[in-house]
Amino acid sequence: MRARVAAILAVLNATPLSADIGWQTARMAPGSLMLMEDERGEGLSHAARGRTAGFFRFDTYEGKGDAPVYAGSYDTNDRGEGVRSVSADGRITRCESHRCARPLGASSHVIVRSDGFRETRKPVTRETAPGPAWKEWGLDGLVATGGPEPDRFGAARNGWRKDHAGGAKTCSLWLMLALR
């Protein structure tokens, strides 16, 4: 389940926030849907639920077809910066500073897990031809690297992420962005 929370945070963090570019979550009215697929063909859907306590709520579902499984939810600000995520079993992960994102250059934020464990993350993002490329360090050194290619709404059109702790590399491609 911790891997699923990491995947959800990876999607949130895949949004470039340089200059005036951000994930335009306000354009995703309740009922809007973003369908993504990884290189194994596994699906992950993000369903916009509207504003909750001043933030934008998204529910996530694993799988495709008629029987997707609820994987949890997450909240963002109006620029797509992660505020918190809730796993399907109710564990809450928060981001202190409400800026769990990767602006260009070096930055820092704190991830607070449901058991109270706090970890400072230090991402560094640089601009490349298709979009930003990032590296993120945590308590155990290099945590992950990745590179999204943003669409016109600032959402990751496609991209990749490598988890340096386990070595898993994930590539993703959004299949559809449905706006209301």
Side-chain angles (χ1 to χ4, degrees):
M1 188 53 71
R2 206 172 274 241
R4 181 54 54 197
V5 170
I8 291 168
L9 287 174
V11 169
L12 289 173
N13 292 339
T15 305
L17 298 172
S18 61
D20 62 351
I21 300 171
W23 181 24
Q24 299 172 27
T25 52
R27 299 233 15 221
M28 296 187 75
S32 295
L33 186 64
M34 184 169 44
L35 302 175
M36 300 181 80
E37 184 176 273
D38 66 22
E39 77 276 8
R40 297 178 305 270
E42 295 177 8
L44 183 64
S45 303
H46 302 257
R49 297 298 180 215
R51 281 188 179 265
T52 302
F55 296 106
F56 293 92
R57 168 77 39 94
F58 293 85
D59 289 340
T60 57
Y61 299 88
E62 296 174 340
K64 296 189 282 187
D66 296 335
V69 177
Y70 178 72
S73 66
Y74 61 89
D75 296 336
T76 74
N77 63 16
D78 60 349
R79 293 189 48 75
E81 298 166 327
V83 175
R84 75 178 200 140
S85 66
V86 181
S87 65
D89 62 1
R91 289 180 291 159
I92 297 172
T93 301
R94 292 182 298 112
C95 178
E96 288 190 351
S97 79
H98 299 291
R99 292 188 61 82
C100 283
R102 295 184 179 91
L104 284 177
S107 63
S108 177
H109 58 266
V110 177
I111 294 175
V112 183
R113 297 193 181 116
S114 60
D115 61 4
F117 181 78
R118 301 168 63 84
E119 181 179 10
T120 298
R121 295 286 181 99
K122 296 183 178 185
V124 175
T125 305
R126 62 183 172 79
E127 192 65 49
T128 66
W134 55 267
K135 292 182 179 183
E136 184 168 87
W137 287 267
L139 291 174
D140 297 324
L142 187 60
V143 175
T145 55
E149 183 179 336
D151 67 8
R152 65 186 176 149
F153 300 111
R157 178 183 343 191
N158 59 50
W160 62 275
R161 180 185 193 281
K162 181 177 181 183
D163 176 355
H164 288 275
K169 183 174 180 182
T170 304
C171 295
S172 61
L173 167 69
W174 66 255
L175 302 175
M176 177 177 63
L177 180 62
L179 302 174
R180 282 192 169 183

